[in-house]
Amino acid sequence: MDVYAPEDSFVVKVSGPASVKAGDIIAELDSPDLEKQLDRVQMFLDGVTISARRYSDGRQEEQRKLVTDLLTQLQTQTQAVNGILANAQSNLEIGKGSDLDVYNAQLRASGALITSSKQAMAASQFDRETRDSTDRCASLQKHGQAEIARLKDLQKRLTILAPFSGKFAPCTAVGLFVKKGHLIGTLEA
């Protein structure tokens, strides 16, 4: 049985020529590229974790409270301006006010309603963006962890074990760089 390098790597240790038992290490390889990939994914995951932290450490809640407090203030202001409009209309009906007073009160009421509506949309959008960002961070963390698991599995495959007992004859030397699929040695029963 021919034994091949699972990845581009350096030969760190190679057995033989010697008799080996099933499960014995017949070659150990090291892939700096695989380690770099693992480090990059880990750094990416660390960045995602830092980004996600702002959604769980109370900062977003503080921001949300500011947005909703402003909305409450604007809604109270809108009610007050609507009261002024109602008074201006009542005064006009009993002859104590003018059309201009009603018109000005309508303008202020319309402006207050528009501002309040904009803030209500901002509060709604804030919640949606927070939810989306939290979901995106969770998804990135899940995929990053899966990639780390895949890379660690590849690293494990760099330690090559004899699948059965026999005589191993190496075809490479310690310290050499081998490409994926390069013949490491042969194992004969």
Side-chain angles (χ1 to χ4, degrees):
M1 173 185 146
D2 291 337
V3 178
Y4 298 99
E7 293 293 322
D8 293 353
S9 51
F10 288 96
V11 179
V12 177
K13 178 182 172 185
V14 66
S15 297
S19 293
V20 293
K21 296 178 192 164
D24 283 355
I25 296 173
I26 55 177
E28 287 184 34
L29 309 174
D30 181 42
S31 174
D33 185 51
L34 201 54
E35 290 174 20
K36 287 178 187 173
Q37 287 179 38
L38 192 56
D39 288 344
R40 278 193 299 267
V41 172
Q42 187 59 55
M43 285 189 291
F44 174 77
L45 259 180
D46 292 346
V48 170
T49 300
I50 289 168
S51 293
R53 197 172 297 146
R54 73 178 178 164
Y55 300 105
S56 61
D57 68 359
R59 282 185 278 172
Q60 283 302 98
E61 273 309 307
E62 288 176 17
Q63 186 68 25
R64 172 81 171 98
K65 185 170 176 5
L66 291 173
V67 169
T68 55
D69 286 351
L70 181 57
L71 176 60
T72 301
Q73 290 172 4
L74 290 171
Q75 287 171 335
T76 302
Q77 180 183 358
T78 300
Q79 289 173 349
V81 171
N82 284 337
I84 293 170
L85 174 60
N87 283 341
Q89 289 171 334
S90 294
N91 286 341
L92 180 64
E93 289 175 7
I94 60 172
K96 291 187 175 181
S98 69
D99 287 335
L100 184 60
D101 293 336
V102 172
Y103 177 74
N104 286 334
Q106 286 173 334
L107 284 177
R108 288 183 17 216
S110 295
L113 181 61
I114 289 170
T115 303
S116 179
S117 296
K118 283 182 180 178
Q119 188 62 26
M121 287 190 309
S124 174
Q125 184 174 352
F126 180 86
D127 290 341
R128 189 171 35 258
E129 287 175 357
T130 298
R131 226 179 7 261
D132 289 348
S133 295
T134 302
D135 292 347
R136 191 174 18 234
C137 285
S139 176
L140 289 171
Q141 285 175 326
K142 178 182 172 185
H143 291 295
Q145 289 165 349
E147 182 64 7
I148 284 178
R150 185 187 74 78
L151 292 171
K152 284 185 176 182
D153 184 54
L154 285 174
Q155 272 187 326
K156 285 180 189 175
R157 291 179 36 215
L158 294 177
T159 300
I160 302 171
L161 305 177
F164 54 85
S165 296
K167 182 160 176 91
F168 180 70
C171 296
T172 188
V174 172
L176 290 180
F177 180 79
V178 293
K179 299 290 266 171
K180 180 178 181 174
H182 182 86
L183 183 64
I184 299 293
T186 57
L187 180 63
E188 295 179 7

